[in-house]
Coordinates of all heavy atoms in Angstrom, one line a residue:
N13 N -0.1 3.9 -6.6 CA 0.6 2.8 -7.3 C 0.4 3.2 -8.8 O -0.6 3.0 -9.4 CB -0.1 1.5 -7.0 CG 0.4 0.4 -7.8 OD1 1.4 0.5 -8.4 ND2 -0.3 -0.9 -7.6
K15 N 1.7 1.5 -11.2 CA 1.7 0.4 -12.0 C 2.7 0.6 -13.2 O 3.7 1.2 -13.0 CB 0.3 0.0 -12.5 CG -0.7 -0.1 -11.2 CD -2.0 -0.7 -11.5 CE -2.9 -0.7 -10.2 NZ -4.2 -1.4 -10.4
H99 N 0.8 -7.5 -4.5 CA -0.4 -6.9 -5.3 C -1.1 -7.9 -6.1 O -0.4 -8.9 -6.6 CB 0.2 -5.8 -6.3 CG -1.0 -5.0 -6.8 ND1 -1.8 -5.4 -7.8 CD2 -1.4 -3.8 -6.3 CE1 -2.7 -4.5 -8.0 NE2 -2.5 -3.4 -7.3
E101 N -2.2 -8.1 -8.9 CA -1.7 -8.2 -10.3 C -0.6 -9.1 -10.4 O -0.4 -9.9 -11.4 CB -1.5 -6.8 -10.9 CG -2.9 -6.2 -11.3 CD -2.8 -4.7 -11.2 OE1 -1.8 -4.1 -11.3 OE2 -3.9 -4.1 -11.1
E171 N -7.2 -4.6 -0.7 CA -7.6 -4.3 -2.0 C -8.5 -5.4 -2.6 O -8.0 -6.4 -3.1 CB -6.4 -4.1 -3.0 CG -5.5 -3.0 -2.5 CD -4.7 -2.5 -3.8 OE1 -4.1 -3.3 -4.5 OE2 -4.8 -1.3 -4.0
A175 N -12.7 -4.6 -7.0 CA -12.8 -3.2 -7.1 C -11.6 -2.4 -7.7 O -11.6 -1.3 -7.9 CB -12.8 -2.7 -5.5
I176 N -10.6 -3.3 -8.1 CA -9.4 -2.7 -8.7 C -9.6 -2.4 -10.2 O -9.9 -3.3 -11.0 CB -8.1 -3.7 -8.5 CG1 -7.8 -3.9 -7.0 CG2 -6.9 -3.2 -9.3 CD1 -6.8 -4.7 -6.7
G177 N -9.5 -1.1 -10.5 CA -9.5 -0.7 -11.9 C -10.9 -0.8 -12.5 O -11.1 -0.8 -13.8
G216 N -8.8 0.3 -4.3 CA -9.7 -0.3 -5.3 C -10.6 0.8 -5.6 O -11.6 1.1 -4.9
S217 N -10.3 1.5 -6.8 CA -11.1 2.6 -7.3 C -11.3 3.7 -6.2 O -12.4 4.3 -6.3 CB -12.5 2.1 -7.8 OG -12.2 1.2 -8.8
M218 N -10.3 3.9 -5.4 CA -10.5 5.1 -4.6 C -10.2 6.3 -5.5 O -9.3 6.3 -6.2 CB -9.5 5.1 -3.4 CG -9.7 6.1 -2.4 SD -8.4 6.4 -1.1 CE -9.1 5.3 0.2
L236 N -4.4 3.1 -1.1 CA -3.4 2.6 -2.1 C -4.2 2.9 -3.4 O -5.2 2.2 -3.7 CB -3.0 1.2 -1.9 CG -1.9 0.7 -2.9 CD1 -0.7 1.5 -2.9 CD2 -1.6 -0.8 -2.6
I237 N -3.7 3.9 -4.1 CA -4.5 4.5 -5.3 C -3.8 4.2 -6.6 O -2.7 4.5 -6.7 CB -4.8 5.9 -5.0 CG1 -5.5 6.2 -3.7 CG2 -5.5 6.6 -6.2 CD1 -4.7 6.9 -2.6
G238 N -4.5 3.5 -7.4 CA -4.1 3.3 -8.8 C -4.3 4.4 -9.8 O -3.7 5.4 -9.7
G239 N -5.4 4.3 -10.6 CA -5.8 5.3 -11.6 C -5.8 6.7 -11.1 O -5.2 7.6 -11.9
Ligands
13P301 P1 -7.3 1.5 -8.9 O1 -7.3 2.6 -7.9 O2 -7.0 2.0 -10.3 O3 -8.6 0.8 -8.9 O4 -6.1 0.5 -8.5 C1 -6.1 0.1 -7.2 C2 -4.7 -0.5 -7.0 O5 -4.6 -1.6 -7.6 C3 -3.7 0.1 -6.3 O6 -2.7 -0.8 -6.0

Side-chain angles (χ1 to χ4, degrees):
N13 175 8
K15 309 192 178 182
H99 192 280
E101 288 150 17
E171 299 205 307
I176 295 175
S217 300
M218 190 187 262
L236 183 56
I237 300 115

